[in-house]
Amino acid sequence: MTNTYPKVQADTGIQRQVLAENPEMMVVAVDFEQGAIGAAHHHPHLQATYVESGRFVFNVAGKDIEVGVGDSLVVPSNAEHGCRCVEAGRLVDTFTPRRDDFL
């Protein structure tokens, strides 16, 4: 199946693209330029993040977590979280249920 979702500018230095989705789950690729900041936020969705490339420092519920290629982490539902891109790269985020605000 061909991906028909466009890349969108999520914030300065950050682009995202929905890769797959249904009501129960969504997979999203997020490309970061070095130094880009994923602003702190929260949502009701459970989120799993896989680092495909680059290096990032996440802050999840007040705790800093440094991750690089091949690492992953889970962000609990409603936990405040954000990240700083230390080395340009790509995150692959999976949300359950789907984030309708990304469609």
Side-chain angles (χ1 to χ4, degrees):
M1 178 183 218
T2 303
N3 185 352
T4 59
Y5 295 100
K7 286 187 176 181
V8 298
Q9 195 72 31
D11 210 336
T12 304
I14 303 171
Q15 286 193 331
R16 76 171 174 249
Q17 182 178 29
V18 173
L19 300 179
E21 58 83 17
N22 72 28
E24 290 80 30
M25 181 180 290
M26 174 180 269
V27 180
V28 180
V30 189
D31 295 314
F32 283 78
E33 295 176 7
Q34 183 173 348
I37 302 291
H41 64 286
H42 62 89
H43 45 71
H45 313 83
L46 181 63
Q47 175 180 337
T49 296
Y50 171 76
V51 183
E52 182 177 301
S53 61
R55 190 144 201 86
F56 300 83
V57 176
F58 276 81
N59 185 282
V60 179
K63 179 181 176 187
D64 283 341
I65 305 165
E66 188 167 342
V67 292
V69 176
D71 291 337
S72 59
L73 62 111
V74 172
V75 178
S77 176
N78 291 312
E80 182 90 5
H81 62 285
C83 73
R84 177 174 49 89
C85 180
V86 178
E87 178 185 310
R90 173 178 272 201
L91 301 174
V92 178
D93 292 334
T94 302
F95 299 96
T96 184
R98 173 179 66 201
R99 287 204 53 173
D100 289 340
D101 58 318
F102 282 7
L103 296 177

